[in-house]
Amino acid sequence: MIQPVLLWSDALLFVLIAAIVALALWARRQEPLRAAWGRVLKDGVAMAAATVLAAFIVVGLLDSLHYRARLDAKPGEPVRYAVEVNSALDALLSDLRQRSEKTYSAPLATHLYAKEALGDSAQRDFPRLRHGGTHLGADLSGHEFDVAMRVSRGCAGGVALWLVLAALWCRHKRISLVATLKVGAGGTATGAVFITLLAIFLLLGIAISLGGGYHVFGTDKVGQDVLYLSLKSIRTGLLIGTLTTLVMLPLAVLLGILAGYVGGWVDDVIQYLYTTLSSIPGVLLIAAAVLMMQVIIDTHPDWFATSAERADARLLALCLILGMTSWTGVARLLRAETLKLRELEFVQAAQAFGVGRFAIMRRHILPNLMHIVLIALVMDFSGLVLAEAVLSYVGVGVDPSTISFGTMINTARMELAREPMVWWSLAAAFGFMFALVLAANLFADAVRDAFDPRSSA
């Protein structure tokens, strides 16, 4: 038995997903939007990037289903639950989570990375790991062969899973596998999706196969599996990117359009506001706001029942602060575009017919700014994922107990100067972050091209 736990960030994430689903259903009934998204669906690169983003989102959603485990109790005792809050991803990765070592170990290693004194003797050597490679026993001559066999089994499992999925799709569509894999066949990008899924399933199969006997990406300073830490960091990056954008975007759109269309003293006030904010160094402003919020959290410990709620409060505070300090660039861009749009014939015709200001902004200005809004949304998502890493690196990001790409990099930075260098924590965080940001940017390019009125003219 478990006790479900709903954190504020979980609730906001689920509300966001519900809103996206509702908007997708609404867009299907709008011919211009349906045509624009149809162009995105026909773009092979965009759909490959969307498939990668979907894989990250699935991991983030699994890590957002939190619960508290029930503690063992004697008959007649009241039911009690653990203080620690876990997630569905923790349950799936329980083997990686529990198989901790003493300290650093390299990827796929069988021994620790540093020499230690063995027993009471003065001899120093590399101790065997408690979990990594223990199935090999004392004879390590078959280590390379065992790794190769596990990689082969993982590839076979990934291909088998992919073939099952492809067969179900082909049976549903009544087409052959060759026709499905042909990129652009029938005016769709199904082939790009399935080729991307094949790569994802291969990596998944290899990770599962190797993870059963080794630490795929090694371990960190306290012996935690780096692959587990990398997967746990995905949720933090997604939350920072999405929730911060939701805070920033309405403010930027409203103020940008008002400044560009209304003009006068409204334009002067808004320009003064975002010019003043832009003149303050962003890192210093964010650091000051985060530290003030941390003081509030520290002085009110009774607000939080668990440490997870406390860490979640700082994460939400960081999203709010980033959103309130990062809207200026988008607002300036929208103001400039609105200044141009208000001089066009269709806007002046609407004014001549007596259409109100807000109706013109809603019906004529905003739709012609949507390509800028959408591209800014996805591009800002990428920038905010990187911003979290930088802020956590300097110590003003998420709570230290929250696993993120920034905390991984911050933990690994001091080990880059040692000899031999510990490189795998930094490489894993960079690799996952690079894949997430690259997929978001490629998808953003396709969305921009599809929604830009000039490209469809």
Side-chain angles (χ1 to χ4, degrees):
M1 292 292 293
I2 60 173
Q3 181 186 55
V5 175
L6 183 65
L7 302 176
W8 278 104
S9 59
D10 299 337
L12 291 175
L13 183 61
F14 296 144
V15 169
L16 174 62
I17 293 174
I20 292 175
V21 172
L23 287 174
L25 295 176
W26 173 77
R28 289 185 62 184
R29 299 193 297 267
Q30 308 297 320
E31 181 59 33
L33 293 177
R34 186 165 67 246
W37 282 112
R39 290 192 290 271
V40 176
L41 295 176
K42 294 176 184 178
D43 190 322
V45 175
M47 294 311 297
T51 306
V52 175
L53 286 175
F56 279 103
I57 292 172
V58 168
V59 175
L61 289 178
L62 288 174
D63 203 19
S64 298
L65 300 174
H66 289 99
Y67 68 92
R68 294 166 63 183
R70 182 176 179 177
L71 299 175
D72 295 332
K74 297 179 180 180
E77 292 184 350
V79 177
R80 294 181 301 169
Y81 295 93
V83 176
E84 184 181 14
V85 177
N86 295 319
S87 68
L89 184 66
D90 292 323
L92 290 175
L93 303 178
S94 59
D95 190 45
L96 294 180
R97 186 176 176 227
Q98 295 170 3
R99 292 190 304 132
S100 61
E101 305 292 347
K102 185 176 181 181
T103 185
Y104 292 112
S105 65
L108 305 178
T110 58
H111 293 74
L112 288 178
Y113 200 59
K115 289 185 177 181
E116 293 183 358
L118 302 180
D120 298 331
S121 64
Q123 181 183 3
R124 294 175 60 83
D125 201 353
F126 298 99
R128 283 291 299 271
L129 298 179
R130 291 196 292 260
H131 303 285
T134 54
H135 61 284
L136 299 174
D139 184 13
L140 299 179
S141 59
H143 179 214
E144 292 81 3
F145 178 76
D146 181 67
V147 171
M149 288 300 298
R150 287 177 176 270
V151 170
S152 301
R153 289 197 297 267
C155 290
V159 171
L161 180 61
W162 180 81
L163 286 175
V164 171
L165 182 62
L168 293 174
W169 174 265
C170 293
R171 183 177 179 182
H172 174 67
K173 292 294 183 178
R174 299 183 183 275
I175 56 177
S176 65
L177 181 60
V178 176
T180 299
L181 296 181
K182 187 177 180 181
V183 178
T188 64
T190 307
V193 173
F194 272 94
I195 292 173
T196 307
L197 284 176
L198 176 59
I200 292 174
F201 286 162
L202 285 174
L203 293 176
L204 178 63
I206 293 173
I208 293 175
S209 182
L210 288 175
Y214 302 96
H215 298 287
V216 180
F217 290 154
T219 55
D220 65 356
K221 187 174 183 179
V222 296
Q224 287 184 297
D225 191 278
V226 174
L227 176 59
Y228 168 75
L229 297 177
S230 301
L231 293 173
K232 289 286 289 183
S233 300
I234 292 175
R235 175 182 181 268
T236 305
L238 290 176
L239 285 176
I240 292 288
T242 54
L243 298 184
T244 302
T245 303
L246 288 181
V247 173
M248 173 269 295
L249 200 59
L251 194 62
V253 171
L254 177 62
L255 295 182
I257 295 178
L258 280 176
Y261 184 76
V262 177
W265 66 269
V266 175
D267 186 20
D268 294 337
V269 170
I270 294 175
Q271 282 195 77
Y272 178 80
L273 180 61
Y274 67 60
T275 303
T276 303
L277 282 176
S278 300
S279 66
I280 304 174
V283 174
L284 293 180
L285 182 61
I286 294 170
V290 168
L291 291 176
M292 287 190 296
M293 185 61 65
Q294 187 61 41
V295 170
I296 296 175
I297 293 174
D298 291 339
T299 54
H300 297 86
D302 54 307
W303 289 359
F304 315 104
T306 62
S307 59
E309 294 182 4
R310 175 191 175 96
D312 189 65
R314 176 159 173 171
L315 176 62
L316 291 179
L318 179 62
C319 293
L320 179 62
I321 293 166
L322 283 173
M324 296 301 294
T325 56
S326 59
W327 61 270
T328 56
V330 180
R332 184 184 291 111
L333 185 63
L334 294 177
R335 172 187 174 272
E337 190 71 12
T338 304
L339 286 173
K340 182 180 69 175
L341 290 174
R342 76 177 185 178
E343 302 300 330
L344 297 181
E345 291 82 357
F346 65 92
V347 175
Q348 294 185 355
Q351 293 173 346
F353 279 105
V355 181
R357 284 182 173 181
F358 289 100
I360 291 176
M361 287 188 284
R362 186 180 73 253
R363 297 176 184 175
H364 302 290
I365 302 295
L366 182 59
N368 285 279
L369 295 176
M370 283 306 298
H371 65 285
I372 297 179
V373 172
L374 287 172
I375 194 63
L377 187 150
V378 186
M379 292 298 291
D380 283 347
F381 169 84
S382 305
L384 290 167
V385 172
L386 299 176
E388 181 276 324
V390 174
L391 292 173
S392 296
Y393 175 78
V394 299
V396 293
V398 298
D399 191 84
S401 63
T402 301
I403 303 174
S404 71
F405 295 124
T407 54
M408 288 181 64
I409 294 172
N410 187 38
T411 304
R413 65 187 174 93
M414 297 301 296
E415 306 304 326
L416 295 177
R418 61 174 288 169
E419 183 63 35
M421 182 176 66
V422 178
W423 52 268
W424 47 87
S425 293
L426 182 64
F430 175 79
F432 276 86
M433 200 161 45
F434 176 78
L436 177 60
V437 171
L438 178 63
N441 287 346
L442 291 176
F443 188 71
D445 288 341
V447 171
R448 177 195 58 197
D449 294 340
F451 280 84
D452 190 343
R454 291 166 295 186
S455 65
S456 59

